[in-house]
């Protein structure tokens, strides 16, 4: 079968279209980083890559909305505050990862016929706690941006969580 019959001018065109050798170095590097991140999330932190992606998306939304709300409130953006967010995420990942390693490497001993691994419970507790904290930070930033006026659920959730009033509300 000739390459023109399958939609390519030449075999070189097929090769270039399939593997893009001109940017192979960049795509190889990105692929290796993503594979390393996936392995880290699955083996150390103990979460599936899609759950890790969700955490990264929530964290990114928190950072973006935090910057936007600070600017809206007239506070200058500083890299120190940005680093604070990464430190917070690092603490969360350390708690999740350490409890996962303990859950996987300290066997549960049966007691009175029941087998319970406290570290496995802690792992899921820290994972859920982290996700809820990221959602809470996003809701807090949405409220600071004034989105509660357009999406009433934001104010209702803020009230339920007893989040502080924004500067606008304190006036």
């Amino acid at each position: 079968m000739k390459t023109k019959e399958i939609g390519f001018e030449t075999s070189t065109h097929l090769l270039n279209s399939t593997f893009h050798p001109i940017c192979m170095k960049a795509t190889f590097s990105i692929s290796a980083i993503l594979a390393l991140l996936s392995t880290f999330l699955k083996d150390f932190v103990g979460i599936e890559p899609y759950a890790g992606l969700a955490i990264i998306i929530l964290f990114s939304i928190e950072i973006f909305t935090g910057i936007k709300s600070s600017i809206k409130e007239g506070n200058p953006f500083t890299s120190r505050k940005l680093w604070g967010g990464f430190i917070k995420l690092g603490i969360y990942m350390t708690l999740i990862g350490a409890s996962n390693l303990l859950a996987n490497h300290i066997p549960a001993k049966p007691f009175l016929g029941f087998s319970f691994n406290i570290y496995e419970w802690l792992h899921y507790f820290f994972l859920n706690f982290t996700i809820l904290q990221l959602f809470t930070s996003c809701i807090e930033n949405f409220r600071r941006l004034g989105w509660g006026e357009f999406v009433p659920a934001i104010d209702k959730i803020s009230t339920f969580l007893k989040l502080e009033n924004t500067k606008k509300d304190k006036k």
Side-chain angles (χ1 to χ4, degrees), residues 63-77 81 140-150 155 166-169 171:
I63 293 293
F64 177 75
T65 57
I67 290 170
K68 295 298 264 182
S69 59
S70 288
I71 291 170
K72 181 182 177 190
E73 293 168 349
N75 299 323
F77 169 72
K81 286 184 180 181
E140 192 173 49
N141 289 340
F142 294 159
R143 190 165 185 219
R144 287 173 58 204
L145 286 167
W147 294 1
E149 297 172 21
F150 306 107
D155 282 337
T166 60
K167 287 185 178 183
K168 179 182 169 188
D169 293 341
K171 288 181 181 176

Side-chain angles (χ1 to χ4, degrees), residues 98-111:
S99 60
N100 176 61
L101 291 174
L102 293 170
N104 287 322
H105 298 287
I106 295 179
K109 303 286 185 192
F111 179 72

Side-chain angles (χ1 to χ4, degrees), residues 5 10 14 41 43 52 60 84 89 92 107 110 113-114 122 129-130 155 162:
E5 293 173 6
T10 63
L14 170 64
L41 286 173
D43 292 345
S60 299
L89 184 65
Y92 291 151
F114 294 100
L122 278 173
F129 179 80
T130 296
D155 282 337
K162 298 179 181 160

Side-chain angles (χ1 to χ4, degrees), residues 18 22 29 36 39 56 60 71 88 106 143 149 155 157 168:
T18 305
I22 196 162
S29 298
L36 183 64
T39 301
I56 290 168
S60 299
I71 291 170
K88 184 170 71 170
I106 295 179
R143 190 165 185 219
E149 297 172 21
D155 282 337
I157 294 169
K168 179 182 169 188

Side-chain angles (χ1 to χ4, degrees), residues 1-163:
M1 179 183 294
K2 297 186 179 194
T3 53
K4 282 190 178 192
E5 293 173 6
I6 59 172
F8 297 97
E9 297 298 317
T10 63
S11 56
T12 304
H13 180 227
L14 170 64
L15 177 70
N16 287 337
S17 178
T18 305
F19 296 107
H20 301 90
I22 196 162
C23 60
M24 186 70 78
K25 195 179 215 180
T27 57
F28 181 80
S29 298
I30 292 168
S31 180
I33 290 168
L34 290 175
L36 183 64
L37 181 62
S38 280
T39 301
F40 171 77
L41 286 173
K42 188 147 174 123
D43 292 345
F44 173 70
V45 182
I47 56 179
E48 294 296 321
Y50 286 123
L53 180 61
I55 289 171
I56 290 168
I57 290 170
L58 284 171
F59 178 71
S60 299
I61 291 170
E62 177 191 356
I63 293 293
F64 177 75
T65 57
I67 290 170
K68 295 298 264 182
S69 59
S70 288
I71 291 170
K72 181 182 177 190
E73 293 168 349
N75 299 323
F77 169 72
T78 64
S79 59
R80 186 173 10 155
K81 286 184 180 181
L82 182 64
W83 275 111
F86 283 102
I87 289 170
K88 184 170 71 170
L89 184 65
I91 291 168
Y92 291 151
M93 291 298 115
T94 301
L95 292 171
I96 295 167
S99 60
N100 176 61
L101 291 174
L102 293 170
N104 287 322
H105 298 287
I106 295 179
K109 303 286 185 192
F111 179 72
L112 298 174
F114 294 100
S115 183
F116 179 72
N117 187 337
I118 186 71
Y119 300 111
E120 186 174 351
W121 182 87
L122 278 173
H123 170 67
Y124 288 111
F125 172 82
F126 288 138
L127 177 60
N128 288 312
F129 179 80
T130 296
I131 293 168
L132 291 173
Q133 290 302 310
L134 290 170
F135 270 117
T136 301
S137 291
C138 289
I139 293 292
E140 192 173 49
N141 289 340
F142 294 159
R143 190 165 185 219
R144 287 173 58 204
L145 286 167
W147 294 1
E149 297 172 21
F150 306 107
V151 183
I154 291 173
D155 282 337
K156 295 222 184 290
I157 294 169
S158 295
T159 301
F160 176 76
L161 295 174
K162 298 179 181 160
L163 297 175

